[in-house]
Each structure stands twice: as structure tokens, then as C-alpha cells.
Amino acid sequence: MSDTRQQIRAHVQANAGIHFNELVRSSEFAPGQIQYHIRRLIDADDLVREERYGQTHYYTPQYDKWERGALALFRRETAREIVVYLIEHDPSRPAAVADELGIARSTLEYHLDHLVECEIVDKRYDERNRVTLSLADPERTAPLLSEVTPTVPDRLVDRFTRLVDGLLESGHDAR
């Protein structure tokens, strides 16, 4: 394996779930070089590539499908904050989560849809159709959460989305 390829694999291993643009930003290699070596690493089963929510993420093979989905979501600041809140306040009502995190309900629901789809969060309805949120597998979730920190660009995109959702929701409430 070439030195460049080893460096790219080591970087992906240290940053599980990294997406292509972040890999380019954080490395010394040109995008074309990275694409070439990533293809070779995938062909050799040294990397796994997955499309998640509009981005291509890369992992080393030791992560299973559930872990790969969780790691991709934990790179999103808001999804990560929801999970941290549920670790500390499990179970919770959606209104409490949205209020505590200062996000619009639509933003919460967007991220919850993905967290539920990836079986990270359980959404339960009681006999009066009230929703309760809890972590599906807290023993697996908490340690995996510590492996990822959202990057500055990821956080900026998330904050912009929160701002727009908040403005849209407050404009809707004013009617």
C-alpha cells in the first residue's frame, strides 16, 4: 500500500464517518488524488463508503451498519445534541427537547426522523397519542458518540438550518 493511501486510510480511521469534503479540507492531498486512493482502498475492502443524507461518508471496515449510520448522524451538531440530551434526560417529550436545545419543532422532527430511521432513538406513543423519546441502545450509543465531533463547516450548516427553521416557525406563529 502506498504511503499516500496509508495516510488517507489512517485519517479515515481516526475520523470515522468523515465525508469527502472534510477529508479534502483536512488533508494535504488534491481531491483527485483522494478520489483515486479511496477507490483503491474500497476495492481492497480497506474502506467502506456510504451515502447518508446527501453526503458520502467513509469508514474503516470494523464498523457495522448501525454504527456507520450513528457516526454519520453524530457529525451533525443538532442530531448530536438531541442524543446527548436523551443520554442525560431519558425518556423525554419532544417539546422538552426542542425547548431545552432552543430549536424549532420542525428542526427536531427532521433530525428525529433520521435518528429513528437509524434505530438510535425510539419514538413511542401512549394511549393518548403523546410521544416519548428515548435512546434505543444507550450502552452502544454513548461510547460511539465520543468518537465524533462535528466539524466547523458541519456546525455552520446546522446552525444556518436552525436559524431558517426558527425564522419560518416564528413567521408562521405570527399569523
Side-chain angles (χ1 to χ4, degrees):
M1 184 182 304
S2 75
D3 187 49
T4 302
R5 202 165 302 156
Q6 286 176 339
Q7 287 179 36
I8 291 170
R9 187 185 188 287
H11 194 71
V12 170
Q13 186 168 14
N15 299 279
I18 192 168
H19 53 83
F20 182 78
N21 291 337
E22 184 59 29
L23 188 55
V24 170
R25 276 191 295 271
S26 62
S27 79
E28 61 193 50
F29 306 113
Q33 275 183 296
I34 293 173
Q35 286 175 327
Y36 172 81
H37 289 290
I38 282 179
R39 273 196 301 271
R40 299 295 174 257
L41 287 163
I42 290 169
D43 290 345
D45 294 325
D46 287 328
L47 283 186
V48 176
R49 173 186 187 269
E50 277 193 13
E51 296 286 330
R52 293 269 182 174
Y53 314 113
Q55 291 182 322
T56 302
H57 296 269
Y58 299 97
Y59 311 85
T60 49
Q62 79 255 25
Y63 296 103
D64 66 26
K65 185 174 178 64
W66 183 87
E67 291 168 326
R68 291 191 304 266
L71 288 165
L73 288 169
F74 295 165
R75 290 192 164 279
R76 296 176 178 250
E77 184 178 34
T78 303
R80 181 183 182 81
E81 287 178 355
I82 293 165
V83 171
V84 168
Y85 183 86
L86 290 174
I87 287 171
E88 296 170 355
H89 304 93
D90 191 27
S92 294
R93 299 255 187 237
V97 177
D99 289 346
E100 184 64 30
L101 298 181
I103 58 176
R105 282 295 294 270
S106 58
T107 301
L108 176 68
E109 289 301 324
Y110 171 81
H111 290 284
L112 280 176
D113 287 347
H114 297 308
L115 290 164
V116 168
E117 176 187 326
C118 286
E119 299 177 352
I120 297 164
V121 172
D122 283 332
K123 198 175 192 180
R124 293 191 181 97
Y125 295 86
D126 66 15
E127 65 281 346
R128 291 171 40 196
N129 214 27
R130 290 181 300 194
V131 177
T132 302
L133 304 172
S134 61
L135 292 175
D137 192 348
E139 291 79 25
R140 279 183 82 191
T141 302
L144 202 56
L145 189 66
S146 67
E147 291 192 31
V148 176
T149 302
T151 63
V152 171
D154 289 336
R155 291 186 355 236
L156 290 174
V157 168
D158 232 26
R159 289 177 186 184
F160 178 76
T161 303
R162 284 172 138 175
L163 174 66
V164 170
D165 282 349
L167 291 172
L168 291 173
E169 191 168 275
S170 65
H172 180 72
D173 292 344
R175 292 182 187 168

